[in-house]
Amino acid sequence: MDVTFRQATIDDALFIARGFQMAMLMEDVPEEHTRLFAEKICEREDVLYSWRNTLIAEAEGSPVGMVTAYDGRYYRGWRETTLQLVKEHLGVEFSGMEDEAVPGEYYVDSLAVLPAHRGQGIGRGLLQHAIAQGRELGLKVTLAVEYDNARALHLYRSLGFAPDGNLFIFGHDYQKMAITPCL
């Protein structure tokens, strides 16, 4: 299978919304909420889950995976806008969350591959692109992973990520992992 990678467009908003839900293990969300998330959040440019922050993996002309990543200096402003829109349009409020990203980091926020395409190196390819982007910017590349997600931990370690603290986000504890920039 030939996989290509491309920058997302606004037309990918629905796939990005579904990818975010997969990454957050929220695959049972009603379709109407997914569409609202796509329309009210992913189609914007000033939010965490914007199409502008996303790379798409395609196979046979269709999206099969995505990674959303961004410069941590924008995190606080984008997070505030994102969480306000989630509250406004979906009626969900998140409080007590730590900052996932800070200035000086390139944060890999969401990574998802469609179930039928997992185990084929697509997630690795998406992460390699994100790592390259972060390094190009001279930033430390970071991400968060659940402590018991052995498969993801193995992938991240194989790419050079190492433990870099703990995070409490979306009501759960996560391990933060990082790759420092090449000097």
Side-chain angles (χ1 to χ4, degrees):
M1 173 179 59
D2 189 30
V3 177
T4 58
F5 300 93
R6 64 170 175 81
Q7 174 60 45
T9 68
I10 197 167
D11 294 332
D12 293 307
L14 186 57
F15 185 80
I16 295 165
R18 288 185 178 127
F20 170 75
Q21 291 168 345
M22 279 189 279
M24 295 301 296
L25 306 176
M26 300 167 36
E27 296 179 61
D28 59 345
V29 172
E31 182 66 18
E32 65 210 44
H33 286 177
T34 305
R35 289 190 183 286
L36 262 176
F37 192 85
E39 178 186 319
K40 301 296 183 183
I41 297 169
C42 300
E43 289 184 3
R44 292 178 63 123
E45 296 182 18
D46 60 344
V47 294
L48 299 173
Y49 312 111
S50 171
W51 60 274
R52 286 219 184 252
N53 300 330
T54 304
L55 182 73
I56 300 288
E58 282 188 334
E60 299 175 6
S62 295
V64 295
M66 52 78 66
V67 64
T68 298
Y70 43 81
D71 187 329
R73 69 182 157 158
Y74 301 114
Y75 175 77
R76 282 226 171 146
W78 287 348
R79 176 180 124 167
E80 186 177 311
T81 302
T82 303
L83 294 182
Q84 180 60 39
L85 291 166
V86 167
K87 181 180 175 184
E88 220 173 272
H89 297 291
L90 300 173
V92 179
E93 187 169 3
F94 295 99
S95 59
M97 281 184 31
E98 294 181 52
D99 284 351
E100 294 172 69
V102 297
E105 294 180 352
Y106 189 73
Y107 186 64
V108 179
D109 189 300
S110 304
L111 172 71
V113 176
L114 293 176
H117 297 277
R118 292 179 184 157
Q120 300 173 25
I122 296 168
R124 175 177 294 278
L126 286 163
L127 279 171
Q128 288 170 325
H129 276 81
I131 292 165
Q133 180 65 36
R135 285 184 168 159
E136 187 176 303
L137 295 170
L139 301 173
K140 177 168 104 172
V141 181
T142 62
L143 54 78
V145 60
E146 291 184 278
Y147 286 95
D148 62 351
N149 190 339
R151 190 172 181 181
L153 284 164
H154 176 74
L155 172 62
Y156 301 153
R157 286 184 186 124
S158 75
L159 289 167
F161 284 92
D164 192 42
N166 306 298
L167 287 171
F168 183 76
I169 49 178
F170 296 110
H172 300 282
D173 289 313
Y174 289 82
Q175 179 176 25
K176 189 165 187 175
M177 299 185 84
I179 296 176
T180 53
C182 294
L183 302 176

